[in-house]
């Protein structure tokens, strides 16, 4: 994933559903542990056994977060957070837990990303020592995540280069054992070549591949080519997201054109955009057309909220339903025009031409650019891995075409 998606980050692990058995057991165990920590601190004199274990764990995490070359900071942590010294202070009743917390927080502020400053500073405002421990561990988890993502970003060029070569080598070994492995890929490229020639499009290795990949997000390619089999779920996700973007842009244009000046403001267009995305977020929905009646009724509510000068009449609602019903057809001219513009935009990006967002997508510009970025990264990675194989297949197709022309 890191190789294919430039924005791929590590994220915090999801907690189990608190209503599930696992979630319930985890809550009970956590509560019992923190209750035992609190009970120890409330004794007279306080029992710091659990607290010292937590401090030792915090010390280990801090040492891991300090860069290896910053030995002075590591020495300071070892010197100040001396567990044996803390035990002696506890015996002499001179242990200062608040002083330990202050040292830890100040050190965390020096190590964390600026975005975490507010979260970490707020720890000092806590008076409950148990909550202090919990918040320290929460902040340390975020800092470790930040560090891991920074290291991933730094290593990504090397990871990408190595993963491309690794996948190429594995695929070559697969081909050596089964020469027929590329049959479906040959069918995919040959059928794309035939379509392009029949429609009068100029064919070159680059345009052929660009059109072949566009087909993957435009239609169901069957059988699935071997070279995209591992990525087909990603292509399907991109196709769903692009359909939602295009459908949203088409809906906005239809409503603004049909209803008139009252709906021209950006706030209305943005509400439509957000509503369509939210309704299409279910992975079981393959295309916004599948839920057009639901979308239509939601959009009528938005029109009502926008036109505040008077109530929306029943005939006007029926008129909006009639306008939007046209989007039910895959051949709707507005939708098809925007889809074609999006395709050309994606193809241009894959060809190395950075152009502006197509007309009609002004409100959805960030969305179409986001989907385009995912698509171009996926296509670029795929071509990096399978480029040599595509070149051989396209050469075969070209030779066959030339032979056919010569024979005629």
């Amino acid at each position: 994933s890191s190789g294919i998606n430039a924005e791929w980050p590590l994220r915090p692990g999801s907690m189990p559903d608190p209503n599930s058995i696992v979630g319930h057991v985890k809550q009970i165990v956590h509560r019992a542990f923190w209750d035992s920590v609190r009970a120890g601190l409330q004794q007279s004199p306080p029992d710091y056994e659990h607290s010292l274990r937590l401090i030792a764990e915090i010390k280990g995490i801090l040492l891991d977060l300090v860069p290896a070359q910053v030995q002075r900071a590591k020495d300071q942590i070892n010197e100040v957070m001396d567990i044996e010294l803390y035990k002696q202070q506890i015996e002499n009743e001179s242990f200062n837990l608040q002083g330990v917390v202050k040292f830890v927080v100040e050190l965390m502020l020096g190590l964390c990303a600026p975005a975490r400053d507010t979260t970490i500073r707020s720890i000092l405002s806590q008076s409950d020592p148990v909550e202090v421990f919990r918040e320290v561990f929460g902040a340390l988890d975020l800092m470790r995540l930040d560090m891991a993502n920074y290291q991933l970003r730094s290593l990504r060029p090397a990871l990408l280069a190595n993963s491309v070569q690794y996948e190429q080598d594995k695929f070559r070994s697969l081909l050596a054992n089964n020469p027929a492995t590329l049959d479906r890929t040959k069918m995919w490229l040959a059928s794309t070549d035939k379509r392009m020639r029949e429609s009068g499009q100029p064919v070159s290795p680059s345009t052929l591949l660009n059109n072949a990949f566009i087909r993957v997000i435009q239609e169901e390619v069957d059988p699935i080519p071997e070279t995209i089999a591992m990525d087909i779920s990603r292509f399907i996700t991109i196709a769903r997201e692009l359909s939602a973007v295009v459908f949203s842009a088409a809906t906005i244009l239809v409503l603004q054109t049909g209803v008139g000046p009252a709906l021209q403001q950006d706030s209305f267009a943005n509400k439509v955009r957000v509503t369509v995305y939210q309704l299409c977020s279910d992975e079981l929905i393959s295309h916004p057309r599948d839920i057009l009646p639901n979308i239509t009724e939601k959009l009528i509510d938005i029109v009502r909220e926008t036109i505040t000068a008077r109530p929306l009449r029943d005939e006007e609602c029926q008129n909006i339903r009639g306008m939007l019903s046209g989007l039910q057809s895959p051949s709707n001219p507005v939708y098809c025009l925007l889809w074609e513009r999006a395709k050309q935009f994606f193809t241009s990006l894959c060809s190395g031409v950075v152009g502006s967002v197509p007309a009609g997508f002004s409100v959805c510009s960030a969305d179409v650019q986001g989907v385009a970025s995912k698509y171009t990264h996926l296509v670029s990675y795929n071509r990096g891995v399978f480029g040599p194989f595509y070149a051989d297949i396209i050469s075969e197709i070209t030779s066959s075409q030339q032979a056919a022309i010569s024979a005629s």
Side-chain angles (χ1 to χ4, degrees):
S1 292
S2 180
I4 294 172
N5 184 2
E7 303 303 320
W8 181 73
L10 296 173
R11 301 184 188 281
S14 58
M15 294 291 288
D17 183 350
N19 296 320
S20 67
I21 294 177
V22 174
H24 189 56
V25 170
K26 191 165 187 175
Q27 284 182 332
I28 292 173
V29 172
H30 280 201
R31 191 182 304 119
F33 172 76
W34 290 114
D35 285 348
S36 67
V37 175
R38 180 176 281 108
L41 293 173
Q42 289 175 346
Q43 290 181 21
S44 182
D47 181 357
Y48 289 107
E49 180 183 357
H50 287 306
S51 298
L52 284 180
R53 290 177 184 170
L54 293 174
I55 291 171
E57 189 173 345
I58 291 169
K59 174 184 176 181
I61 296 172
L62 289 172
L63 288 170
D64 288 340
L65 287 172
V66 173
Q69 63 272 25
V70 188
Q71 188 59 43
R72 183 177 178 183
K74 290 181 179 287
D75 292 341
Q76 185 184 21
I77 293 171
N78 285 319
E79 181 180 343
V80 176
M81 301 184 72
D82 186 336
I83 305 301
E84 292 303 317
L85 177 61
Y86 289 159
K87 288 179 180 179
Q88 293 175 19
Q89 291 175 346
I90 291 169
E91 291 175 3
N92 297 327
E93 298 184 1
S94 60
F95 179 62
N96 182 2
L97 181 58
Q98 189 61 34
V100 176
V101 170
K102 185 177 180 183
F103 171 79
V104 168
V105 169
E106 288 176 352
L107 189 59
M108 289 168 67
L109 286 170
L111 294 171
C112 73
R116 306 293 185 197
D117 280 1
T118 303
T119 301
I120 294 172
R121 288 186 192 280
S122 67
I123 296 172
L124 291 175
S125 63
Q126 277 286 355
S127 57
D128 182 353
V130 171
E131 288 305 312
V132 167
F133 277 125
R134 295 176 73 156
E135 291 189 16
V136 165
F137 277 105
L140 286 172
D141 283 343
L142 292 175
M143 289 171 64
R144 287 197 288 190
L145 202 64
D146 292 340
M147 178 65 73
N149 280 320
Y150 169 76
Q151 291 172 339
L152 269 179
R153 286 193 297 271
S154 302
L155 293 171
R156 187 174 181 275
L159 288 173
L160 181 59
N162 289 330
S163 62
V164 166
Q165 189 60 53
Y166 173 78
E167 290 195 37
Q168 268 190 14
D169 292 343
K170 292 295 287 184
F171 198 73
R172 286 187 195 280
S173 65
L174 185 64
L175 279 179
N177 296 323
N178 183 9
T181 302
L182 283 172
D183 285 352
R184 297 198 299 272
T185 302
K186 291 175 182 177
M187 290 171 56
W188 170 51
L189 294 178
S191 61
T192 303
D193 177 88
K194 182 179 178 182
R195 287 188 186 189
M196 293 177 67
R197 293 183 189 280
E198 288 176 349
S199 63
Q201 295 182 63
V203 180
S204 69
S206 179
T207 58
L208 176 54
L209 279 175
N210 285 339
N211 277 270
F213 279 112
I214 284 291
R215 282 182 61 194
V216 179
I217 63 169
Q218 185 173 9
E219 62 189 73
E220 184 178 346
V221 178
D222 186 36
I224 297 171
E226 299 88 351
T227 54
I228 65 169
M230 293 291 290
D231 296 326
I232 193 63
S233 62
R234 293 186 175 97
F235 278 113
I236 290 172
T237 299
I238 288 170
R240 286 180 56 252
E241 292 178 357
L242 181 58
S243 296
V245 172
V246 174
F247 196 87
S248 177
T251 302
I252 292 167
L253 286 176
V254 168
L255 287 174
Q256 290 183 333
T257 303
V259 178
L263 304 181
Q264 295 301 317
Q265 59 265 46
D266 287 345
S267 58
F268 166 77
N270 195 53
K271 284 180 182 178
V272 171
R273 162 187 162 273
V274 170
T275 299
V276 172
Y277 291 162
Q278 287 176 341
L279 292 174
C280 295
S281 60
D282 190 336
E283 291 186 2
L284 297 177
I285 298 170
S286 60
H287 196 283
R289 283 192 292 267
D290 299 342
I291 54 168
L292 182 59
N294 293 351
I295 292 175
T296 299
E297 296 308 312
K298 289 286 186 181
L299 296 185
I300 288 174
D301 290 341
I302 295 175
V303 174
R304 281 199 186 98
E305 295 170 3
T306 305
I307 303 177
T308 55
R310 58 175 177 78
L312 200 63
R313 297 188 296 271
D314 289 343
E315 58 267 28
E316 289 176 309
C317 293
Q318 284 301 115
N319 186 36
I320 291 172
R321 291 187 184 98
M323 287 187 293
L324 294 178
S325 66
L327 292 172
Q328 189 74 55
S329 170
S331 58
N332 176 268
V334 177
Y335 182 88
C336 289
L337 174 64
L338 292 173
W339 181 266
E340 195 61 36
R341 288 176 179 174
K343 277 170 50 182
Q344 292 171 358
F345 180 56
F346 280 32
T347 301
S348 296
L349 291 175
C350 286
S351 301
V353 179
V354 180
S356 56
V357 172
F361 289 95
S362 57
V363 175
C364 309
S365 60
D367 304 305
V368 75
Q369 286 175 320
V371 180
S373 176
K374 293 179 185 178
Y375 175 79
T376 52
H377 275 106
L378 184 55
V379 170
S380 175
Y381 185 83
N382 185 281
R383 289 175 69 163
V385 173
F386 299 105
F389 309 103
Y390 292 143
D392 291 342
I393 295 171
I394 292 172
S395 178
E396 288 180 23
I397 294 172
T398 304
S399 299
S400 298
Q401 290 288 343
Q402 290 173 347
I405 294 171
S406 299
S408 62

